[in-house]
Amino acid sequence: RVGEERAAAEAAAERARRPAPAPRPNDRAPKAKGFSTSQRRELDEIPVKIEAGEARLAEIDARMGDPALYRGTTRELAAIQAERAAASKDLDRLYARWEQLEALRAAESG
């Protein structure tokens, strides 16, 4: 048993002393691809999603503008505020993705 442990330790030490092998051609990072069909479709659809997100945000803002909301429970107000925060975050994400896709398309065009 002691001999096995020592042999294993020596083998591990030998592996640690060897330099790492050079990367093979197929181990290199993949090349960047062009603007894909799915990205093109996503770019075409994103303005509709943004419009829907803006409409949702406007509807929430209208509800928040109702004075009756503030006479209700704080739980209702907190729920609507959380809903607005989520809608705003979704809209920000959509705008960021739109910019990203536009940049990819522009890079492909040259």
Side-chain angles (χ1 to χ4, degrees):
R1 179 165 162 84
V2 173
E4 291 174 9
E5 290 175 0
R6 189 159 72 180
E10 288 174 2
E14 177 62 30
R15 284 191 301 271
R17 283 191 290 268
R18 287 188 216 147
R24 296 184 309 243
N26 60 352
D27 288 345
R28 292 191 181 108
K31 292 182 180 178
K33 295 181 181 180
F35 196 62
S36 72
T37 303
S38 64
Q39 290 170 324
R40 186 168 283 120
R41 189 177 324 114
E42 184 182 3
L43 182 59
D44 290 343
E45 294 170 354
I46 211 160
V48 174
K49 291 179 181 179
I50 289 173
E51 274 186 43
E54 288 176 341
R56 179 177 171 217
L57 203 54
E59 183 261 318
I60 294 168
D61 285 345
R63 287 182 6 215
M64 289 184 75
D66 182 3
L69 173 66
Y70 301 94
R71 286 188 289 251
T73 66
T74 56
R75 189 173 299 193
E76 290 175 75
L77 179 59
I80 291 176
Q81 288 172 333
E83 184 180 354
R84 189 189 190 290
S88 180
K89 186 175 180 180
D90 287 345
L91 197 55
D92 290 344
R93 182 187 53 78
L94 286 168
Y95 275 116
R97 181 63 178 156
W98 191 15
E99 290 175 9
Q100 182 182 37
L101 290 169
E102 285 289 354
L104 287 170
R105 183 175 68 174
E108 181 188 61
S109 298

